[in-house]
């Protein structure tokens, strides 16, 4: 821990450059930009909470889903990767039980009294609920919590499918772990922080999300996650070097908002679980796939057709996530690209989360997919990712087509809509020179 003044000096002197290269990129321009970004965040902290305070820095990445779209909440299998867009926090612990947190881009400062660790109705779907929920989860797991002042800034696009909310949640978990639990990575492992974050989002925020987002953000790297036992998900890191194959990962923002889509997300989980309930099970992972197909004539009478085709997507995309991982491990990159395209079609056609039926005139995601197909057909791969309905798409783009692809996307959705990203090998961590 260092004073804000000393920390700014250390960053300016390059003492954090090695950490920035590990978290973001080796490029000198990227490192210089991160120096400026962190320094500005510290200056904003000083503006709101005073100069000369002793602080620590924390970072948590966004994530991109690679395979297993909407399979996690029914105990399926996913493949995901942390990306080099993140939320950073400048944090100073206090001697009280109050968290004061100011986030860049938001007018209101969150003030959360940790003496109360139950859901508050007026905080539903607000960031204060996530702070309180993560704190409650830490306490329930036998940990300690306490107050702190923090300033956060994030370049994880809100409503983008890169999981800005999960990045925020696991960042709060890392702060409580670091400031009040001695950085205990055994009791509060990255996976445990992910589970606590999901609890906060489900119970306090009011969104019935699965566990994939939080796990990918907390753990970092490229990973597969098997949720057969959601209390103990099996996480396996895999080497994933797109550059070695001459490809880049592009995330394109179609400028759609997720703000009014909670009902659409909830319907996917509800309908999948309604099919499971037909068989007396809680989630689809517990249902025998052959028995499901044989029973479709009766199942559709009970659940409706959309629930049935969403269940078909679940079975196929869980299996596909395993195949994607195998393709990467076996260096079968053409097979990997083929599976990405197949998964994209399954999400669009069967899971039906390319656009919301409540706003059928807004179809930024299908439009971006159509543009991707035109530019990349036969050369790359494209799919919707994350929650869907709005937000971003994902594409794997040959480096020689990268400028053409970016120009096509930016030409429709505005300059800077296409982000070229890399996989980040670190999850939610304190940022130190020794990282």
């Amino acid at each position: 821990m260092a004073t804000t003044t000393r920390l700014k000096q250390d960053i300016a002197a390059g003492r954090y450059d090695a950490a920035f290269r590990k978290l973001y990129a080796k490029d000198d321009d990227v490192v210089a930009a991160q120096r400026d970004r962190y320094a500005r965040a510290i200056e904003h902290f000083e503006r709101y909470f005073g100069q000369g305070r002793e602080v620590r820095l924390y970072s948590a990445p966004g994530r991109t889903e690679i395979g297993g779209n909407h399979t996690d909440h029914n105990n399926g299998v996913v493949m995901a990767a942390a990306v080099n867009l993140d939320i950073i926090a400048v944090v100073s612990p206090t001697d009280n039980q109050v968290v004061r947190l100011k986030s860049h881009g938001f007018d209101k400062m969150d003030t959360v009294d940790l003496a109360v660790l139950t859901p508050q109705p007026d905080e539903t779907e607000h960031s204060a609920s996530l702070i309180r929920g993560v704190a409650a989860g830490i306490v329930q797991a036998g940990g300690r919590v306490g107050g702190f002042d923090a300033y956060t800034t994030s370049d994880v696009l809100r409503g983008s499918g890169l999981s800005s909310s999960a990045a925020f949640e696991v960042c709060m978990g890392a702060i409580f772990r670091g400031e009040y639990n001695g950085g205990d990575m055994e009791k509060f492992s990255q996976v445990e922080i992910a589970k606590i974050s999901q609890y906060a989002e489900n119970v306090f925020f009011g969104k019935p999300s699965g566990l994939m987002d939080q796990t990918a953000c907390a753990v970092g790297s490229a990973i597969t996650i098997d949720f057969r036992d959601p209390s103990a998900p099996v996480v396996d890191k895999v080497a994933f070097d797109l550059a070695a194959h001459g490809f880049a990962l592009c995330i394109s923002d179609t400028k759609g908002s997720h703000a009014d889509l909670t009902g659409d997300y909830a319907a996917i989980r509800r309908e999948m679980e309604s099919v499971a309930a037909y068989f007396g099970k809680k989630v689809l992972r517990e249902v025998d796939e052959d028995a499901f197909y044989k029973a479709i004539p009766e199942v559709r009478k009970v659940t409706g057709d959309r629930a049935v085709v969403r269940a078909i997507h679940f079975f196929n995309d869980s299996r596909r996530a395993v195949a994607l991982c195998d393709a990467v491990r076996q260096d079968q990159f053409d097979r990997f690209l083929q599976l990405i395209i197949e998964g994209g079609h399954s999400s669009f056609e069967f899971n039906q989360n390319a656009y919301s039926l409540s706003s059928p005139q807004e179809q930024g995601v299908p439009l971006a997919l159509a543009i991707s197909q035109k530019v990349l057909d036969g050369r790359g791969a494209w799919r919707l990712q994350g929650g869907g309905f709005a937000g971003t798409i994902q594409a794997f783009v040959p480096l020689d087509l990268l400028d053409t692809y970016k120009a096509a996307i930016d030409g429709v959705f505005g300059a800077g809509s296409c982000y070229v990203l890399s996989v980040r090998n670190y999850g939610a961590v304190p940022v130190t020179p020794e990282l």
Side-chain angles (χ1 to χ4, degrees), residues 354-378:
Y355 59 91
S356 175
L357 292 177
S358 63
S359 302
Q361 73 281 3
E362 297 178 12
Q363 296 198 17
V365 167
L367 178 56
L369 293 171
I371 293 168
S372 300
Q373 178 173 312
K374 177 174 173 56
V375 176
L376 301 177
D377 198 11

Side-chain angles (χ1 to χ4, degrees), residues 336-347:
F336 172 83
L337 294 176
Q338 178 186 350
L339 289 166
I340 289 292
I341 293 173
E342 290 177 4
H345 281 296
S346 182
S347 292

Side-chain angles (χ1 to χ4, degrees), residues 86-97:
D86 67 343
I87 180 173
I88 63 174
V90 184
V91 179
S92 181
T94 61
D95 57 4
N96 56 45
Q97 289 291 103

